Amino acid sequence: MSKKILLVFSLLLLLFSACTEKKPLKMKLKVLATTDVHGAIFPYDFVKDKEAKSSLAQAFSYIRKEQEDPDQEVVLLDNGDILQGQPLVYYYNFEKTEEAHICSRVMNYMGYDAGTVGNHDIEPGHAVYDKIRKEFEFPWLGANAVCNEDGAPYFEPYTIIERRGVRIAVLGMITPAIPQWLPENIWEGMHFEPMIASARKWMKVIREKENPDLVIGLFHSGVGDGIASEGKIVEQASRLIARKVSGLDMIVCGHDHQANLIWEKNPEGKDVLVINPNNSAMLIADVEVELSWDAEQKCYKKELKPQLVPVKDLPVSEDFLVQFQSAFDEVKSYVSRDVGNFARTITTRDALFGDAAFVDLIHQIQMEITGADISFAAPLSFNAEIKAGQLQVRDLFKLYRYENLLYTMELSGQEVKDFLEYSVDLWFNQMKKESDHLLKMKELAKGVRLVEPFFNFDAAAGLNYTVDVKRGKGERIVISRMTDGTVFDLHKTYRVALNSYRGNGGGGHLTQGAGIPKKELTNRIVHSTTKDLRYYLMKWVEQQGVVIPQCDSNWKVIPKEWWQAGKSKDYQLLYGAH
């Protein structure tokens, strides 16, 4: 054999050896994860104009310390819903679009290894999430978001992270309930597979192709009860997957904003960790993983030691603040811009108990923009207040919390009534005596809470009606007339203004309440705005200059004495003294 051939052979042997690095006999791995950050990047609330208790700027002080520890390897993950929540991300979603997004800049700087897309990352629309996924220096996962054209995942299904020869597989999935909440143009070109079926499919690929040492599920879906039917669209499916799908060592979940640290048994009876670090960077999921191998390089021991680390007591990373100070200053200036003047203070507290100026202002704007006959709207915050005086951009985020589009839909009078009946059944208790709760309340060890979320408490404008809390389900609403004095007709078709979440079936008001099949909802939409409703609210306020919010008193709760007694009691329980 010539010297030349020997040299080539030796080089190939060296290359092969370098590519087949042996794993250490023992390795300490630290998995850190965030979820549902919702724009909580800086220790500052841009809406309330005050210091925030938790942020990525604080989390990073802990993350960097762990990353710099020479005795361990670190994997940093994010579980989605980063693109909505604070004016900071709204600004980069829709205003400062020519630059790299603040989220991609921050997360690249922090050293994230992988992320999963969340439903609130889809909601800003294709232009936003298609742009940011190109900016990320790490894979943005979503195995069950599938392209209609070729059946391949729209986002990457999984990724393999290597640390000193150790292979860590991360499978990402998103809650498949998105079509129930968002208009199709926002997720055009894809559909969402049930999570269990998708997990089984991709776990098979991972096992056969990748031979991983550790498998992490990064699921933008809540814990759930773990007993739902596999064939149905399950919004909160993480516990169910832990029980039904083999091969996962741990699942980082989110979406439901509930801190959790639980263990489940998979089909083989092996332990699977399910951990949820809450939302708004309040907690960091910290899982220490001790891996051990025998001489044949077979991983024979995996020990997971999880904890949830509170962020509120962590110091702010000064390096982080210096790096992104210009973005902070720019957005603070943006939200401080004057847009108009309010002649009186309004609050969502009033809207939980009856007709209120806060929701009526939204009705007024929705009806003026659309020219609709009727408007549906709900309070989108539990305890928001806009004070009389100068109104700034930040106040519009109190007035309207979410980036919903504004729809105009066609509904019959009967469907309108049934929609309202459904809403008030979620909202008001059936009172048997004056001392009963007015609202549907749940007794807890530490007090009470609402049975249903307040953002489903839709009231109507354009109609005059009463809600009789003495009556039972389906018999509470009496519509006397249209507010303009004309007759309300159960058989007539009306143009109705409502937000896109409700118009796509969110909350069940149109599907379960009005009885309209989900597949028919799109056909009922006669117009949709191209920008989110808050944008139009801002423009409307700027045009008005001075706004005088008023309650139009087009509906009331009866009997009046019972309503007053129930309101006084429940207000005290929810908010304290008036």
Side-chain angles (χ1 to χ4, degrees):
M1 186 181 293
S2 70
K3 289 182 179 180
K4 189 174 181 181
I5 294 174
L6 279 171
L7 180 61
V8 171
F9 181 78
S10 299
L11 288 171
L12 288 172
L13 187 62
L14 284 170
L15 181 63
F16 177 77
S17 299
C19 293
T20 55
E21 180 184 357
K22 274 199 168 189
K23 300 161 189 161
L25 292 179
K26 286 188 178 181
M27 190 175 85
K28 178 182 170 184
L29 176 72
K30 182 66 72 77
V31 179
L32 303 175
T34 54
T35 191
D36 297 86
V37 171
H38 287 293
I41 290 173
F42 297 107
Y44 172 77
D45 189 320
F46 288 90
V47 176
K48 296 178 181 178
D49 190 21
K50 67 177 187 179
E51 184 179 323
K53 293 181 179 179
S54 61
S55 67
L56 288 184
Q58 293 151 275
F60 185 57
S61 64
Y62 183 89
I63 291 166
R64 171 174 274 185
K65 182 166 145 269
E66 295 296 314
Q67 289 171 331
E68 292 176 346
D69 185 342
D71 296 325
Q72 64 183 9
E73 298 291 334
V74 172
V75 171
L76 179 59
L77 307 172
D78 180 77
N79 198 34
D81 274 10
I82 56 174
L83 294 181
Q84 284 188 337
Q86 276 282 321
L88 174 69
V89 288
Y90 180 88
Y91 182 73
Y92 281 91
N93 287 347
F94 304 115
E95 300 281 359
K96 195 77 178 275
T97 57
E98 72 279 6
E99 289 189 4
H101 200 287
I102 187 64
C103 288
S104 60
R105 289 160 56 194
V106 164
M107 297 175 79
N108 290 341
Y109 174 79
M110 292 175 67
Y112 277 89
D113 294 292
T116 286
V117 62
N119 56 293
H120 284 289
D121 302 321
I122 297 292
E123 191 161 2
H126 268 287
V128 179
Y129 60 79
D130 287 343
K131 173 179 177 285
I132 199 171
R133 68 183 293 211
K134 294 175 184 176
E135 296 172 357
F136 282 142
E137 294 172 0
F138 54 86
W140 212 21
L141 310 175
N144 62 323
V146 179
C147 290
N148 296 335
E149 187 175 338
D150 58 9
Y154 188 87
F155 303 91
E156 291 183 57
Y158 70 89
T159 189
I160 300 296
I161 300 166
E162 292 208 26
R163 294 289 188 269
R164 293 163 56 197
V166 176
R167 294 173 62 78
I168 302 132
V170 182
L171 172 66
M173 291 195 293
I174 185 172
T175 177
I178 285 174
Q180 298 176 22
W181 311 317
L182 303 179
E184 188 172 352
N185 64 299
I186 284 175
W187 43 274
E188 185 178 9
M190 67 180 99
H191 62 277
F192 302 90
E193 293 180 343
M195 292 181 68
I196 294 178
S198 185
R200 283 187 174 137
K201 175 173 72 177
W202 287 105
M203 281 304 302
K204 185 174 186 292
V205 172
I206 289 169
R207 282 194 303 268
E208 293 176 355
K209 182 180 176 182
E210 307 294 352
N211 191 29
D213 299 292
L214 183 76
V215 181
I216 302 170
L218 194 59
F219 301 157
H220 191 81
S221 178
V223 170
D225 58 16
I227 57 174
S229 169
E230 291 188 32
K232 294 182 179 179
I233 295 297
V234 182
E235 179 182 353
Q236 318 287 10
S238 295
R239 174 178 278 175
L240 193 63
I241 294 169
R243 292 177 178 177
K244 297 283 187 179
V245 181
S246 300
L248 290 153
D249 295 297
M250 62 177 282
I251 294 171
V252 178
C253 61
H255 180 60
D256 60 359
H257 294 196
Q258 300 293 318
N260 260 302
L261 198 166
I262 59 177
W263 294 89
E264 292 289 345
K265 296 287 186 183
N266 74 1
E268 287 76 40
K270 295 180 180 178
D271 288 331
V272 181
L273 171 66
V274 181
I275 189 167
N276 183 336
N278 208 319
N279 66 293
S280 302
M282 293 181 189
L283 300 170
I284 303 168
D286 178 320
V287 184
E288 183 180 302
V289 184
E290 291 187 359
L291 299 166
S292 302
W293 289 267
D294 58 17
E296 284 74 39
Q297 294 285 283
K298 293 178 181 177
C299 184
Y300 64 92
K301 185 180 179 184
K302 284 183 259 194
E303 185 178 357
L304 278 61
K305 300 175 183 177
Q307 64 172 328
L308 290 167
V309 179
V311 169
K312 64 182 178 65
D313 297 325
L314 296 174
V316 174
S317 166
E318 293 302 322
D319 289 345
F320 185 102
L321 291 187
V322 169
Q323 184 76 19
F324 301 107
Q325 187 66 49
S326 61
F328 175 88
D329 293 340
E330 188 172 341
V331 176
K332 190 173 181 181
S333 176
Y334 164 72
V335 298
S336 301
R337 180 172 65 85
D338 294 337
V339 292
N341 194 286
F342 264 30
R344 58 170 292 197
T345 298
I346 57 175
T347 172
T348 55
R349 289 186 178 192
D350 298 334
L352 261 63
F353 301 95
D355 198 2
F358 197 105
V359 173
D360 279 351
L361 179 60
I362 298 172
H363 283 312
Q364 181 182 354
I365 297 169
Q366 288 189 165
M367 294 182 79
E368 286 190 21
I369 291 171
T370 63
D373 308 303
I374 297 166
S375 169
F376 288 131
L380 300 184
S381 297
F382 178 70
N383 192 21
E385 179 182 71
I386 303 177
K387 292 185 180 295
Q390 195 66 49
L391 193 74
Q392 297 178 328
V393 169
R394 62 166 49 87
D395 295 309
L396 275 300
F397 287 81
K398 299 177 187 176
L399 182 63
Y400 209 86
R401 185 177 175 184
Y402 300 109
E403 275 90 73
N404 296 318
L405 303 178
L406 177 59
Y407 281 1
T408 308
M409 300 183 74
E410 290 187 339
L411 303 179
S412 71
Q414 185 65 60
E415 288 166 342
V416 167
K417 181 181 183 299
D418 292 344
F419 181 112
L420 281 175
E421 290 282 9
Y422 178 87
S423 178
V424 300
D425 185 59
L426 298 177
W427 187 349
F428 294 108
N429 183 40
Q430 183 179 4
M431 298 178 74
K432 301 295 177 67
K433 56 186 182 298
E434 191 173 318
S435 60
D436 284 347
H437 288 299
L438 172 67
L439 307 181
K440 281 193 170 179
M441 310 279 269
K442 181 180 289 186
E443 304 285 345
L444 301 172
K446 296 182 180 180
V448 299
R449 72 170 177 83
L450 298 170
V451 172
E452 297 290 337
F454 51 85
F455 54 75
N456 282 330
F457 294 175
D458 277 52
L463 302 171
N464 285 14
Y465 63 99
T466 58
V467 179
D468 190 339
V469 291
K470 292 175 71 175
R471 294 186 179 182
K473 184 176 181 179
E475 301 177 340
R476 299 179 172 197
I477 299 290
V478 175
I479 302 172
S480 57
R481 59 183 172 84
M482 301 293 288
T483 301
D484 64 8
T486 58
V487 174
F488 175 76
D489 187 345
L490 292 174
H491 304 288
K492 183 178 177 179
T493 298
Y494 293 95
R495 291 168 69 90
V496 180
L498 72 177
N499 68 45
S500 55
Y501 172 77
R502 193 71 74 232
N504 287 295
H509 296 63
L510 288 172
T511 52
Q512 299 173 51
I516 303 171
K518 177 71 172 67
K519 62 183 179 182
E520 190 185 319
L521 292 179
T522 303
N523 298 330
R524 299 295 193 94
I525 301 169
V526 295
H527 184 264
S528 170
T529 59
T530 55
K531 296 185 177 181
D532 69 284
L533 184 51
R534 190 189 301 116
Y535 170 85
Y536 296 98
L537 295 175
M538 189 182 302
K539 297 303 179 186
W540 185 89
V541 171
E542 286 179 323
Q543 289 172 1
Q544 297 296 311
V546 177
V547 178
I548 308 173
Q550 295 184 23
C551 178
D552 62 12
S553 302
N554 68 302
W555 67 280
K556 62 183 69 174
V557 182
I558 59 173
K560 184 178 179 180
E561 295 78 13
W562 289 28
W563 170 70
Q564 289 175 328
K567 177 181 177 181
S568 177
K569 175 182 178 180
D570 290 354
Y571 191 102
Q572 177 76 25
L573 289 170
L574 292 175
Y575 300 109
H578 210 299

